[in-house]
Amino acid sequence: MAQVIVNGIVSAALIAPPAVAFSMLFGILRFPNFAIGGYITVGVFAAYAMNVPLALPFWVAALGATLAGAVIVWISDQIIFRPMRTSAPVTLLVVSIALTFVLEHSVRLIFGPDVKGFNLPLERPITLGQIHITRSQIHLIGTALFIIVFTHLLLTRTRTGRAMRAMADNPELAEVRGIRSTLIRVVATLYCGALLGLSGVSAGFDLAIEPLLGWSLTIPIIAAAILGGIGSVYGAMLGAVLVGLAEEFSTLILPSSYKIAVGFGIIAMLLLLRPQGLLGQPEIKK
Amino acid sequence: MSNAILRAEGVYSGYGRGDIISDVNISVDRASITTIIGPNGAGKSTFIKTVAGVVRRRAGRILIDGYDVSGMSPSDVSRHAVAYVPQERNIFRSLTVMENLEMGAWIEPRKFDSRVARVLDLFPALNALKVVRAGNLSGGQRQMVAFGMALMVEPKLLLLDEPSAGLSPVMVEQMFAVIQQVRESGIAIMMVEQNAIQALRVSDVGAVMSAGRVAMIGSASELLGDREVAELYLGTRT
Amino acid sequence: MILAQGLNLQWGITGMVNFGVAGFYAIGAYTGGILSTRVGLPPELAIVLAAAGAGVVGLIVSLLTMRLREDYFAIVTLGFGEIVRLLALNEDWLTEGPRGLKISVRPFDFGLTNASYALVYLGAVAFTILIIYVICERIRSSPYGRVLRAIREDDVVASVLGKNIVRFRVQVFAIGSIFMGLAGALFAHYVQNISPDTFMPMIAIFIWMSVIVGGYGNNRGLLLGAGIVMVILEGSRFLGDFVSFVNSQQLASIRIILIGCILMVVLRFKPRGLIPEPKFSSPFERTPD
Amino acid sequence: MDFSTSRRRILTGSAIAALGSTLSPRLLYANDAISIGSLTPNTGGGAPYGGNMAAAIRRTVDQINASGGVLNRQIKLTQEDGETNPETATRAADKLINVNQVIAILGTWASSVTLGIMPKCQSANIIQMCTSSSDDIPIRDTKGLCFNFQILNPVWGRALGKMAIDRGFKQFKLMALNNDFTRSILTGFEEAIGPGRLLEKPFYYNANQASYKAEVSRLLEGNPDAVFIPAYVTDFTSVYKDIYRAGYKGQVITVTFAASEPFKKAVGAAADGILHGFPIPPLDSPAYKQYLQEAGLQDNGQIQHPYGTACRDQISVLALAIEKAGTTEAEAVKRAIYDVSTGPGKKVVYNVLDGLKALRAGEKINYSGAGSAVEFDQNRQLIGRDIQLYQIRNGRDEIIATLKVR
């Protein structure tokens, strides 16, 4: 039982940072960007390319993935989403799914479909009573916590961060007060891209590196973000923990082949019962 | 230059098909209060939004302090010392009161400290609420935040869309008192108001809009005294 | 194609975004297949019942989700489609799980040879499409249809008009679901072998492409859109016949990249589709109110 | 999409065919050439194999054409991607049959695809050659047109189960990827070990999950001696990482394609100790050595291109059978397939060119392939393949035992 909780938390560490990024992107770009899966895939393969074929140290590769993520999110926003910003959110949603196809299959075209791994040995766990956890899983959790706290500080302690929140909260008013949306957009896409690139590294580390990796993470990530309430950093973290635990615990009740449905189930229930999420603010009714 | 802070010349604008306002000509003097009244759908709010740059102007010119701002984005218009307070969604609900005020001084962050002191002077109630999320405030407190944030711009022209909407009668009194105080400090105000009589009482100039055009413009006292206006728009009988 | 019509009715006309197309399609296919093969009903009857079944499920889903914002609605319906697929995959006793349900009976079978059977089937399907096309056009141009489009344009306007939005939406969603179920049942009896893999969310994307490319709220544009999408999907297969310097695996990736790019370009530059719906201002432009 | 399946075939298909014939001179002599199609899993679950399957077919066709073709006619090969998805595959098969007018479709891999296109092939009298192992294949193939170059799953699973018991494991837990293929291997394994050795009912998991930890925890509960996990390489990689990280010290058993080279590269030294088994190509057969050469591979003692080799055999046997039959008519080719591949007392050939030469010289031949000896039973299934059990040691597969299936 204790092990199930640990597993849930490790899964949560994997999906929390991208959930934060999804949530922020949703706030600033104002549509659910399904391309997060594609961005994560780009991140993990950037890291792989540097770590294995180029034989660079793992931390350099992780840094490179972070950069690659930032650049790809920024570029795709510049050439695709920004020119379309007046379109309906649903149109953008469809476009983001198309973009996922393009990104994942471009990666596949370059690297081939085989599974890959980083140049890091697999570890045996540290055993504490009934619980097994590996050193690197602890690092994974640590990194996720660091990212959450860092993002929170960024959003509350810096001027640009506060402006990002203002824009996510009320874009028209932000514009009226002189906040230039273009600039905030650039900062937000770069930062979220960096988070997604880094998430790719964690995912490639925990799972198997292959082009469809990002797609398999998309639903839990979105579930966590919606669960936590769009725009809330700690909400996304809490959402990730709950989604992680729900998926792990579900296998005690349901056949494990239904696990994928759990994420969707959470999203549906929540949207129906409490659309603003657990820590989100309710929307103003006109 | 003239004494006008705002001059609108032959302005047309609207959403989608068709114009909502057409050929609007209004000029607002420095440190004056202008109130626009008129029936629902007359285009009052649209006109204010057009001045703020929120709604795109289709024809005509809008001059702020002699500069042509027509066609500029809202964030560029705001750089000409114009502060617009929408009727709804006029605060950042998830930000604290202080953060809201900070957004008001976004363009000139270095003047934040001096301005914030003046705004808190004007709305002493906000002192105790500095770190409270604006979304958790009462209606009257929110209106103070919205107003305060606009003043943080240190505007030459303040555009108010229904500032008294949803406030209790006591609060409405206070709001108009504050508006007069603001005018004393040299800021011109143009507002749209349903509370026409009260608004006109504090105003210098009144304009009546109807069907997208300015039907009548004159001194506020003139409008208050006009029988036709009173019957049609003020809901009073003389 | 029928799917696209159903979707067009739902989205194009009322602005509801259903990403669960694959789910309704699967319900239709499995219901039809199970009724005709397992229960032994005449296949024609099974197809009708399958359509009705999908309609009922559509009714329930829409009643539950009607109040959601459109992008949330899209996510929920996407989830619905996945859950249907998982049910088909895991409930072996009903659907034979991953090995797929084989359908031994054929509708409209009068002891014909294979080639002419295909033609008869094609004829039957074409006839169905014609009927559905007529129904859709009717709905679109009826006062009812105008209300639906008013709903799409603006929730507030419609409610001011005093129409019962929720009821209309639910009805339309159910009708659309019926069409999707019908499509599924017809498909199942045509290929005679259905498995859960057939109903990946990918389908929704292709159907979406048809609707979007053709121009939404527009039944004629839809025919064109479906045609174009099919040409792209199938035509890109022929690429390999002409381009020999890439292996077939790379080609497969290139195909999907191409499809994604085309979709993005169309949405970017022709957001209202190739044949825009006549006499309506673009609802894609958000009024800055 | 339903309608499109049929209508597209007629409308789009013919439109593009018309377009194609004006653009491509190759289609102009289509009447003269023998048209053959391949439908390999270039994307989707079979993606790790599809590439070299398609390439093997292409290479062999090129060899045949370079040496003058079959029946003095060139072979026109059209290659499609089945995407390991029956729906796409059905549409692609439609195109192959109606537009390219193929006489045979080779290279289907997933059972769902082979079975999915079967109704179409049956009604058009098209020969199918596959490496699929669902026991439904011979049952649904009522016209006797589908030749299977893989042994059936339960046979394979039983063999592995038997080998596991031989190695002395007492308690097992079983988990499979939720897919017809891996599930029926699991069923065979379960039969072989019997209920007494099973700690818990076997269960299934889905691919493309964000985490497999819950499944792994459940699998390892009770600390069984050995766990058996038939899976594909992508999900097995994720699953195995979690097994290792959960500190499991028992024996992990799987199927060889899950523990393939990419897997070993991805998990590194941690892969040591895994047992895996597979129906193997005859490693010492000349045909297998020739295949390695053709594909430009080094003989490293490991199994390479398990399905690519079978695809070489498919196209070779088909070409030989056409030559033997003297026609492309399905009934005659079907009989000739037995003639050139099965039965004793004939000249054994290891590649298609030698075979064609021998046939033209009037000899009786028996093709022995790179993937198997290619001997069919009356259900068009392979009579047998060797199954080999390996253990990964120092990142390499070492042979532990070999079992002849018969």
Side-chain angles (χ1 to χ4, degrees):
Chain A
M1 195 54 112
Q3 184 64 41
V4 180
I5 293 170
V6 171
N7 289 345
I9 290 171
V10 173
S11 301
L14 202 60
I15 53 180
V20 169
F22 173 80
S23 191
M24 279 173 71
L25 282 177
F26 198 164
I28 302 287
L29 309 188
R30 312 206 80 73
F31 73 96
N33 191 340
F34 267 68
I36 45 171
Y39 299 143
I40 289 175
T41 299
V42 169
V44 64
F45 274 86
Y48 168 79
M50 282 184 268
N51 183 227
V52 182
L54 299 180
L56 295 169
F58 184 68
W59 66 269
V60 178
L63 203 66
T66 312
L67 276 176
V71 169
I72 195 80
V73 178
W74 174 65
I75 290 181
S76 60
D77 185 57
Q78 287 297 307
I79 63 174
I80 302 166
F81 296 120
R82 214 176 79 78
M84 294 183 71
R85 64 189 176 281
T86 50
S87 302
V90 175
T91 312
L92 293 168
L93 177 78
V94 175
V95 170
S96 71
I97 292 177
L99 177 64
T100 310
F101 288 163
V102 172
L103 290 177
E104 287 184 344
H105 284 271
S106 303
V107 163
R108 186 192 190 107
L109 192 64
I110 300 168
F111 292 96
D114 286 343
V115 287
K116 303 192 167 53
F118 291 127
N119 190 12
L120 286 177
L122 265 188
E123 285 174 296
R124 282 298 189 181
I126 306 161
T127 305
L128 303 162
Q130 290 292 305
I131 300 171
H132 307 286
I133 189 162
T134 66
R135 213 173 284 278
S136 42
Q137 282 170 340
I138 296 173
H139 289 165
L140 202 69
I141 296 170
T143 312
L145 280 175
F146 172 76
I147 287 175
I148 301 285
V149 172
F150 183 82
T151 308
H152 178 75
L153 292 179
L154 179 85
L155 289 180
T156 51
R157 297 293 158 84
T158 70
R159 196 171 120 84
T160 312
R162 289 190 289 263
M164 277 158 83
R165 278 163 57 217
M167 233 187 87
D169 182 309
N170 191 339
E172 290 86 16
L173 186 61
E175 187 84 2
V176 165
R177 290 290 161 264
I179 301 171
R180 291 196 201 272
S181 57
T182 10
L183 180 77
I184 300 299
R185 235 183 135 105
V186 169
V187 176
T189 48
L190 283 174
Y191 183 73
C192 293
L195 282 191
L196 290 167
L198 197 59
S199 312
V201 178
S202 310
F205 182 78
D206 195 58
L207 298 156
I209 302 176
E210 50 112 15
L212 297 180
L213 172 65
W215 190 239
S216 36
L217 289 168
T218 304
I219 291 307
I221 290 171
I222 293 177
I226 291 180
L227 187 58
I230 293 297
S232 162
V233 173
Y234 288 111
M237 181 178 79
L238 184 67
V241 171
L242 290 178
V243 169
L245 288 178
E247 290 204 334
E248 300 298 317
F249 274 106
S250 73
T251 51
L252 301 177
I253 313 160
L254 283 169
S256 53
S257 42
Y258 277 112
K259 201 164 91 172
I260 299 179
V262 173
F264 274 122
I266 292 174
I267 297 179
M269 295 269 289
L270 219 82
L271 287 179
L272 294 174
L273 300 178
R274 194 180 153 84
Q276 71 271 31
L278 293 179
L279 298 187
Q281 301 262 326
E283 278 197 37
I284 315 174
K285 294 261 186 297
K286 267 203 189 175
Chain B
M1 285 288 296
S2 76
N3 194 33
I5 181 76
L6 165 72
R7 284 181 55 175
E9 300 171 353
V11 174
Y12 287 76
S13 80
Y15 317 95
R17 302 146 280 165
D19 296 329
I20 291 185
I21 61 169
S22 34
D23 194 23
V24 172
N25 294 286
I26 279 183
S27 106
V28 173
D29 286 348
R30 283 171 210 282
S32 72
I33 301 180
T34 302
T35 297
I36 305 175
I37 59 170
N40 274 331
K44 301 171 306 239
S45 288
T46 306
F47 174 62
I48 279 211
K49 285 179 186 164
T50 309
V51 173
V54 177
V55 176
R56 257 192 125 68
R57 159 223 64 141
R58 289 185 174 155
R61 289 207 306 164
I62 297 168
L63 302 173
I64 300 286
D65 210 2
Y67 290 98
D68 191 346
V69 300
S70 22
M72 282 188 182
S73 74
S75 70
D76 287 333
V77 173
S78 71
R79 283 172 168 72
H80 286 90
V82 175
Y84 160 63
V85 182
Q87 182 187 349
E88 286 164 331
R89 294 178 59 85
N90 52 16
I91 52 166
F92 298 108
R93 298 159 48 87
S94 60
L95 271 58
T96 64
V97 169
M98 279 304 263
E99 285 171 338
N100 267 282
L101 296 182
E102 183 197 7
M103 292 304 134
W106 175 258
I107 299 162
E108 292 163 296
R110 264 167 300 157
K111 302 200 178 150
F112 173 74
D113 290 336
S114 60
R115 288 181 188 174
V116 88
R118 279 169 51 197
V119 168
L120 291 176
D121 248 15
L122 201 57
F123 300 108
L126 293 182
N127 265 309
L129 304 166
K130 280 180 182 173
V131 293
V132 178
R133 277 188 181 211
N136 297 339
L137 298 177
S138 72
Q141 289 166 331
R142 288 184 195 188
Q143 207 64 1
M144 285 185 218
V145 173
F147 212 127
M149 187 183 357
L151 293 176
M152 291 296 290
V153 178
E154 204 156 85
K156 292 184 214 156
L157 175 63
L158 186 57
L159 303 169
L160 304 175
D161 197 347
E162 308 262 356
S164 71
L167 295 184
S168 67
V170 182
M171 295 293 305
V172 174
E173 286 290 331
Q174 285 179 5
M175 181 57 69
F176 285 121
V178 169
I179 288 173
Q180 274 178 301
Q181 247 179 298
V182 167
R183 190 261 303 269
E184 302 300 310
S185 65
I187 296 171
I189 294 160
M190 180 165 78
M191 61 178 158
V192 167
E193 255 303 332
Q194 293 290 343
N195 256 327
I197 298 176
Q198 268 175 296
L200 285 174
R201 279 189 188 137
V202 302
S203 299
D204 303 305
V205 178
V208 179
M209 278 186 79
S210 156
R213 293 169 185 275
V214 178
M216 188 187 285
I217 189 160
S219 77
S221 48
E222 240 171 71
L223 253 65
L224 277 171
D226 188 294
R227 266 192 68 153
E228 200 184 341
V229 170
E231 271 182 24
L232 285 173
Y233 306 115
L234 304 181
T236 55
R237 285 179 200 281
T238 45
Chain C
M1 190 59 225
I2 297 176
L3 274 185
Q5 290 277 10
L7 189 68
N8 188 38
L9 193 66
Q10 291 183 344
W11 180 55
I13 300 183
T14 64
M16 292 186 296
V17 181
N18 182 1
F19 261 110
V21 187
F24 294 104
Y25 190 47
I27 289 176
Y30 272 103
T31 315
I34 289 166
L35 287 178
S36 68
T37 302
R38 292 276 189 86
V39 181
L41 293 179
E44 293 81 359
L45 181 62
I47 290 174
V48 172
L49 286 176
V56 170
V57 176
L59 200 67
I60 296 167
V61 169
S62 59
L63 279 173
L64 285 174
T65 56
M66 229 9 91
R67 285 169 42 244
L68 293 175
R69 245 172 60 183
E70 62 173 6
D71 38 1
Y72 286 170
F73 183 77
I75 296 174
V76 170
T77 49
L78 184 68
F80 167 76
E82 273 295 275
I83 289 170
V84 170
R85 189 176 68 83
L86 286 174
L87 282 173
L89 189 62
N90 292 310
E91 301 308 315
D92 297 24
W93 56 273
L94 188 64
T95 61
E96 297 194 18
R99 77 174 22 190
L101 181 70
K102 51 178 180 291
I103 296 161
S104 47
V105 288
R106 306 198 299 189
F108 323 118
D109 194 348
F110 317 110
L112 298 164
T113 62
N114 277 299
S116 52
Y117 177 72
L119 279 177
V120 169
Y121 205 92
L122 175 68
V125 173
F127 184 66
T128 316
I129 290 184
L130 191 72
I131 291 175
I132 288 179
Y133 176 77
V134 171
I135 295 175
C136 287
E137 275 297 317
R138 272 287 180 82
I139 294 179
R140 205 178 79 85
S141 51
S142 66
Y144 183 63
R146 284 202 291 277
V147 175
L148 294 179
R149 279 181 292 167
I151 295 174
R152 184 187 75 195
E153 299 292 312
D154 190 344
D155 290 356
V156 183
V157 170
S159 63
V160 167
L161 287 173
K163 305 288 181 185
N164 187 337
I165 301 181
V166 172
R167 218 182 88 224
F168 276 126
R169 287 191 158 177
V170 168
Q171 282 171 359
V172 174
F173 194 89
I175 294 173
S177 308
I178 290 176
F179 293 161
M180 292 173 194
L182 184 63
L186 286 171
F187 170 75
H189 286 87
Y190 179 70
V191 297
Q192 297 184 307
N193 183 38
I194 47 176
S195 74
D197 290 355
T198 314
F199 305 104
M200 297 297 266
M202 261 311 245
I203 292 191
I205 310 294
F206 291 148
I207 305 298
W208 268 92
M209 284 173 63
S210 309
V211 176
I212 288 166
V213 171
Y216 76 136
N218 175 333
N219 293 323
R220 252 163 311 150
L222 197 65
L223 291 166
L224 177 78
I228 292 176
V229 169
M230 288 316 154
V231 170
I232 294 170
L233 280 182
E234 298 302 300
S236 55
R237 293 189 175 281
F238 290 82
L239 221 61
D241 297 354
F242 303 112
V243 188
S244 48
F245 54 86
V246 288
N247 67 33
S248 51
Q249 204 161 2
Q250 290 164 334
L251 190 72
S253 291
I254 292 174
R255 261 187 69 205
I256 296 177
I257 294 173
L258 206 67
I259 290 168
C261 286
I262 291 172
L263 188 56
M264 287 196 286
V265 168
V266 169
L267 286 172
R268 167 87 170 74
F269 295 104
K270 284 262 179 199
R272 297 174 57 201
L274 297 178
I275 304 183
E277 182 190 19
K279 283 183 286 180
F280 253 92
S281 71
S282 168
F284 277 106
E285 273 174 31
R286 271 198 238 154
T287 49
D289 194 346
Chain D
M1 192 105 342
D2 52 27
F3 175 61
S4 35
T5 316
S6 51
R7 189 186 71 145
R8 169 187 325 118
R9 189 177 84 200
I10 315 290
L11 294 185
T12 323
S14 55
I16 291 174
L19 190 73
S21 56
T22 54
L23 291 179
S24 159
R26 257 196 279 169
L27 287 174
L28 288 179
Y29 58 82
N31 285 339
D32 188 34
I34 298 172
S35 184
I36 293 174
S38 81
L39 193 53
T40 45
N42 303 345
T43 46
Y49 317 106
N52 57 53
M53 294 169 77
I57 297 176
R58 167 64 66 194
R59 273 197 308 274
T60 311
V61 167
D62 288 346
Q63 283 177 11
I64 297 169
N65 285 341
S67 74
V70 177
L71 300 175
N72 288 321
R73 290 160 69 182
Q74 293 283 298
I75 293 176
K76 181 186 173 298
L77 176 66
T78 312
Q79 300 199 294
E80 291 294 340
D81 177 12
E83 296 177 12
T84 327
N85 175 339
E87 208 255 331
T88 323
T90 311
R91 279 189 276 132
D94 241 342
K95 183 232 159 196
L96 286 173
I97 296 170
N98 292 299
V99 180
N100 302 97
Q101 306 269 322
V102 298
I103 59 153
I105 296 178
L106 316 183
T108 53
W109 179 79
S111 296
S112 59
V113 169
T114 305
L115 292 169
I117 69 168
M118 195 174 273
K120 300 227 174 263
C121 293
Q122 299 268 307
S123 57
N125 254 333
I126 305 282
I127 290 175
Q128 276 181 272
M129 289 183 162
C130 63
T131 45
S132 307
S133 31
S134 161
D135 32 359
D136 267 354
I137 291 173
I139 300 169
R140 295 203 204 172
D141 175 23
T142 48
K143 282 194 170 178
L145 291 168
C146 182
F147 289 84
N148 192 349
F149 285 68
Q150 177 62 288
I151 53 170
L152 300 184
N153 287 323
V155 182
W156 174 3
R158 272 196 295 275
L160 287 176
K162 196 170 160 302
M163 287 165 141
I165 296 171
D166 290 347
R167 299 187 58 74
F169 300 116
K170 300 264 182 314
Q171 296 174 313
F172 290 88
K173 280 242 206 165
L174 276 51
M175 162 171 108
L177 174 64
N178 192 8
N179 141 327
D180 187 27
F181 183 28
T182 40
R183 279 172 65 160
S184 49
I185 295 176
L186 184 137
T187 309
F189 193 96
E190 194 184 351
E191 272 171 38
I193 59 171
R197 293 192 181 81
L198 210 54
L199 280 185
E200 193 200 339
K201 213 161 66 77
F203 59 97
Y204 310 110
Y205 65 90
N206 288 316
N208 299 327
Q209 296 190 153
S211 153
Y212 299 91
K213 293 185 177 66
E215 287 87 343
V216 166
S217 299
R218 181 164 163 203
L219 183 72
L220 303 182
E221 214 172 36
N223 202 18
D225 289 349
V227 292
F228 177 60
I229 311 159
Y232 285 169
V233 60
T234 308
D235 45 279
F236 184 71
T237 306
S238 302
V239 167
Y240 186 74
K241 279 181 160 183
D242 278 334
I243 291 180
Y244 192 88
R245 287 195 283 232
Y248 180 63
K249 298 269 174 36
Q251 180 66 53
V252 176
I253 308 172
T254 185
V255 286
T256 297
F257 56 76
S260 61
E261 283 307 309
F263 166 79
K264 280 174 252 175
K265 249 189 248 158
V267 302
D272 281 359
I274 296 178
L275 284 176
H276 59 89
F278 198 57
I280 50 160
L283 291 183
D284 38 9
S285 153
Y288 180 70
K289 296 200 163 102
Q290 287 166 10
Y291 176 89
L292 292 181
Q293 229 167 27
E294 289 158 15
L297 297 171
Q298 294 297 314
D299 188 352
N300 57 7
Q302 312 267 318
I303 306 294
Q304 306 188 66
H305 294 194
Y307 296 100
T309 49
C311 279
R312 175 196 195 253
D313 297 345
Q314 292 175 2
I315 180 70
S316 300
V317 167
L318 181 66
L320 292 171
I322 292 170
E323 181 77 26
K324 175 82 185 176
T327 166
T328 58
E329 195 270 315
E331 277 305 306
V333 173
K334 202 170 98 181
R335 280 192 302 274
I337 288 175
Y338 280 104
D339 205 329
V340 299
S341 68
T342 302
K346 302 174 184 171
K347 176 178 173 162
V348 177
V349 295
Y350 297 103
N351 64 56
V352 67
L353 297 186
D354 290 351
L356 289 171
K357 227 178 280 166
L359 282 176
R360 284 169 194 151
E363 288 177 275
K364 278 184 163 287
I365 59 163
N366 179 338
Y367 174 84
S368 180
S372 68
V374 195
E375 303 286 312
F376 290 108
D377 66 14
Q378 67 275 26
N379 283 330
R380 301 157 305 281
Q381 308 298 312
L382 286 187
I383 284 173
R385 279 185 88 174
D386 299 350
I387 290 195
Q388 209 153 57
L389 189 68
Y390 302 87
Q391 184 155 41
I392 302 178
R393 289 180 186 156
N394 300 321
R396 294 176 58 82
D397 292 336
E398 288 188 16
I399 300 167
I400 303 285
T402 308
L403 192 78
K404 296 262 182 200
V405 177
R406 177 60 240 247

